[in-house]
Every structure is written in C-alpha cells, then in structure tokens.
Amino acid sequence: MSRVDFAYGAAHRLRAACRTAARHAQAGHRLLVYCTDPRRLKRFDTLLWEFDPVSFIPHARADDPLAEQADVVLVADAAALAAAPATGWLLNLDLDCPPDARRHTRILEIVSGHEADQQAARARWAAYKQAGYEIRSHPLPKTAPEGTHSR
C-alpha cells in the first residue's frame, strides 16, 4: 500500500520542494516530481538551479535524454508519469492527486500556509483517504528568511 506524507506549514511551497528534492538526491533516492501546471513546473525547475549557490541538484524533464541519469525527474502530464520508470518516490506539486498513484511507494505533498494551497491539499487528503492510502502529516521546520540558505 502506498503511503502519502503531507508536510505542512511551508513558507514557500516550491522552495520547500527544492529542499525535499535536495535531501533525496543527497540520500541517493530518485524522485519523480509531478505537476501539470507548466508555469509552476518551470518555476520549480528554475528554483532547482538557483536554490543553493554552492551545490547542484541533478534534474531533468522526463522527455530529456538525460532523465535516466538525473536524481530528480520533472513530469508534466499523466502520460509522461505513466511512461516514467517507477522510482518509489513521487513529489506531487499538482493541485490534484497524481494519476495511478499506487505505482509509487511514497507520495510526498508539501502544503504552504496560503489558503488556496491548503484547500487544494484538504481535497487531496480526502481523495487519498477515500482511496484507502495510509496518510501521515508532518509540520515543516521553520526555515531561514527568503533568499538565505540554512543547513
């Protein structure tokens, strides 16, 4: 059975997602990142380049030839998600639950304090619960102010 982890209280959802991606890359885990919103996925891609000025998070879009070597693979639609090799870990940055979520051992959801984000997360929580997933929630630690990096 897949497990869904909701991490809540992010000051900035995409920056928290970058920290999550960095931790997975450092631990040697491959991570799929799913988001059908092209602007949000592009912003996340850009943040992965800018996130930490002294390190690099190896990432690529699923349709890139280098995706097989990347630690973090960005997936923009359901067809690409179905075609992507299962990594076990999926970070969902979409407003809806990912399709065929049971393919993944762990689904990570990051929730900011913004009302629209919280409402979308509540709807995903309810959908996961109705589908019988094991769900856990975790508060995110407070992070350094925007533009600074703490370790």
Side-chain angles (χ1 to χ4, degrees):
M1 174 63 66
S2 299
R3 183 174 115 187
V4 182
D5 289 274
F6 279 83
Y8 62 89
H12 188 285
R13 184 178 185 208
L14 296 182
R15 287 196 185 279
C18 285
R19 283 189 291 280
T20 298
R23 281 194 304 273
H24 279 267
Q26 290 167 353
H29 299 146
R30 286 196 84 216
L31 179 68
L32 293 178
V33 179
Y34 177 73
C35 183
T36 60
D37 180 328
R39 289 180 58 206
R40 185 178 313 121
L41 192 60
K42 173 76 173 143
R43 179 68 182 133
F44 180 69
D45 185 8
T46 301
L47 282 172
L48 285 172
W49 285 101
E50 301 170 351
F51 173 66
D52 190 342
V54 296
S55 68
F56 173 68
I57 302 167
H59 68 283
R61 291 187 172 260
D63 59 357
D64 188 302
L66 297 176
E68 296 225 2
Q69 289 87 28
D71 293 331
V72 177
V73 179
L74 309 179
V75 182
D77 58 51
L81 185 59
T87 63
W89 294 86
L90 175 75
L91 173 59
N92 184 33
L93 294 179
D94 208 56
L95 295 180
D96 296 316
C97 294
D100 198 18
R102 294 204 188 280
R103 267 184 78 209
H104 310 282
T105 307
R106 295 280 291 280
I107 300 166
L108 307 172
E109 296 274 359
I110 297 174
V111 185
S112 75
H114 298 280
E115 184 61 32
D117 191 29
Q118 291 175 345
Q119 288 178 355
R122 286 183 193 111
R124 289 192 307 276
W125 181 293
Y128 288 129
K129 185 172 181 137
Q130 183 176 11
Y133 289 88
E134 175 187 353
I135 303 173
R136 295 186 185 177
S137 66
H138 316 276
L140 286 170
K142 300 297 179 201
T143 58
E146 195 74 24
T148 63
H149 302 281
S150 61
R151 299 229 179 239

